[in-house]
Amino acid sequence: MTLKVSHRWGGSLAASLFASLFQAAPPAAAEEKAAMLLPGSINDQSWNALGYSILLALKPHGFTTAYTENVADSDEAEALRGYATQGYNIVMGHSGRFVSAMEQVAPDFPKTQFIAVSGNEGAAPNVMSIDWNNAQFGCQLGVLAARMSKSKMVAGVYGLEGVPNITAQAGGFRICATKAGAKVSILYVKDMEDSAAAKEAALSLIAQGADVITGKLNAAEAGLVQAAKEKHVYVTGRGVDQTKMAPDAVLTNIVEDWPAMFGKTADEVKAGKLFGNFVQYGYDTAPVTGGSLVYDADKPFNPVVPAAVVKELDDMAGQFKAGTLKVEPTREDARGGS
């Protein structure tokens, strides 16, 4: 069962409406219950749809689920409190912006695990963030781009400048592409969903000589792929659907494994463990690595990538796993421009 709660709150009247809603439509009785708060709609085919898929992935782990869409900043604490009061033992917020509200509410519910999706901080004993290691994968993309570039000019298009996971991926890309001998340019766009703006940014970078494009966007990622396809340059994506859009242009995709990350945590919470920290999955947390490089169902890379480059990237993954290779990007590494 998945219960949907979709409305905005405000003041004491809103609090009473929230309480009455749960009295009128309580979730089915279950020992394990998980809820997700979303900043937008689950039908956006992008970030919030991903959040909904994370929630649904907990059902096979024995959780009854519920969610609330379009949660405004001012309503976060009240929404978190509402679910915790109803006995939800996992309450999630779909972005790092929920951490502050979780820190306010968590002391009143010491048996509830609060989790920020793609955050980068936690608070003991029961507020945590989960993300995958953007720096490791960004580094691999940087080496791949440098090796596949003929012009030795590569570029990235990102949104949300300054957000930690963006800094990690963009910075990791710059550090490792530069070490591999390429010149790097980075542009930031205002909207992670604006495919047209992302395409325009990519086209401008291509016009300046970049012949491999990467990035971390939501729906706007498709704009990068479209630009690369039109201009016959290479690109990396965020899902095998983008390989289908431009099989000759896409080199690989970072495919994020949120179900595995959250499933592992959910099982541990069921067993009585609580987390109050930032848990970051990567090659060094195998078998749950948080993501993988995938071209299509049968292979990690486009067949045009030479075997020697594939081996280099595989060796990097092994070094990350062993802890002999570490990348710690700064905001300067992720800066816009060259």
Side-chain angles (χ1 to χ4, degrees):
M1 173 184 178
T2 300
L3 173 68
K4 174 185 177 182
V5 182
S6 184
H7 61 284
R8 294 183 181 275
W9 301 281
S12 59
L13 175 60
S16 64
L17 287 172
F18 185 76
S20 65
L21 177 88
F22 276 97
Q23 291 168 3
E31 184 179 357
E32 311 295 343
K33 298 188 290 186
M36 175 74 79
L37 306 183
L38 300 148
S41 167
I42 65 169
N43 296 314
D44 66 359
Q45 299 183 0
S46 186
W47 175 246
N48 292 283
L50 170 65
Y52 183 56
S53 72
I54 292 171
L55 178 68
L56 295 183
L58 298 189
K59 286 188 172 185
H61 294 265
F63 285 79
T64 294
T65 59
Y67 67 97
T68 302
E69 302 171 287
N70 302 307
V71 179
D73 292 0
S74 59
D75 298 329
E76 291 170 358
E78 189 174 341
L80 292 166
R81 186 176 296 278
Y83 280 120
T85 299
Q86 292 295 314
Y88 284 79
N89 48 327
I90 295 180
V91 182
M92 299 171 285
H94 194 48
S95 81
R97 77 176 219 196
F98 287 92
V99 171
S100 178
M102 289 176 177
E103 291 174 342
Q104 296 175 38
V105 174
D108 295 334
F109 301 95
K111 295 182 179 180
T112 301
Q113 179 68 67
F114 295 90
I115 310 175
V117 181
S118 198
N120 73 317
E121 55 188 328
N126 60 332
V127 176
M128 73 180 299
S129 293
I130 295 176
D131 205 350
W132 49 279
N133 197 316
N134 283 263
Q136 290 182 356
F137 287 95
C139 179
Q140 283 187 300
L141 294 186
V143 171
L144 174 63
R147 299 294 183 237
M148 297 302 294
S149 174
K150 294 180 179 179
S151 67
K152 294 305 174 184
M153 298 177 65
V154 302
V157 180
Y158 304 88
L160 302 177
E161 183 173 7
V163 169
N165 60 48
I166 299 293
T167 295
Q169 189 170 143
F173 177 78
R174 186 194 292 278
I175 290 169
C176 296
T178 300
K179 286 184 176 180
K183 180 180 178 181
V184 179
S185 294
I186 290 174
L187 285 181
Y188 286 94
V189 294
K190 293 182 178 179
D191 190 344
M192 297 279 281
E193 314 298 334
D194 190 340
S195 181
K199 181 179 179 181
E200 189 71 21
L203 289 172
S204 71
L205 291 164
I206 294 168
Q208 295 170 37
D211 60 358
V212 184
I213 305 293
T214 190
K216 183 176 182 179
L217 301 165
N218 292 333
E221 191 86 8
L224 307 185
V225 178
Q226 291 165 357
K229 182 178 181 180
E230 288 181 14
K231 296 299 181 180
H232 305 289
V233 302
Y234 291 127
V235 67
T236 67
R238 291 190 72 181
V240 293
D241 58 321
Q242 291 172 354
T243 297
K244 295 175 183 177
M245 287 174 56
D248 293 333
V250 174
L251 294 172
T252 192
N253 303 278
I254 298 177
V255 176
E256 302 158 23
D257 194 358
W258 293 100
M261 289 185 277
F262 275 78
K264 183 176 186 295
T265 302
D267 287 342
E268 290 172 322
V269 171
K270 283 175 63 176
K273 186 174 182 179
L274 292 177
F275 299 86
N277 60 334
F278 172 32
V279 176
Q280 183 172 232
Y281 289 94
Y283 290 112
D284 51 333
T285 62
V288 178
T289 60
S292 56
L293 297 179
V294 181
Y295 174 73
D296 63 22
D298 298 318
K299 57 183 74 72
F301 300 103
N302 188 315
V304 301
V305 180
V309 176
V310 173
K311 183 179 184 305
E312 183 178 10
L313 297 170
D314 288 344
D315 288 347
M316 289 177 65
Q319 292 165 10
F320 281 127
K321 181 178 180 179
T324 57
L325 177 60
K326 296 182 183 295
V327 182
E328 298 179 352
T330 66
R331 289 195 63 171
E332 173 60 19
D333 296 319
R335 68 188 182 279
S338 299

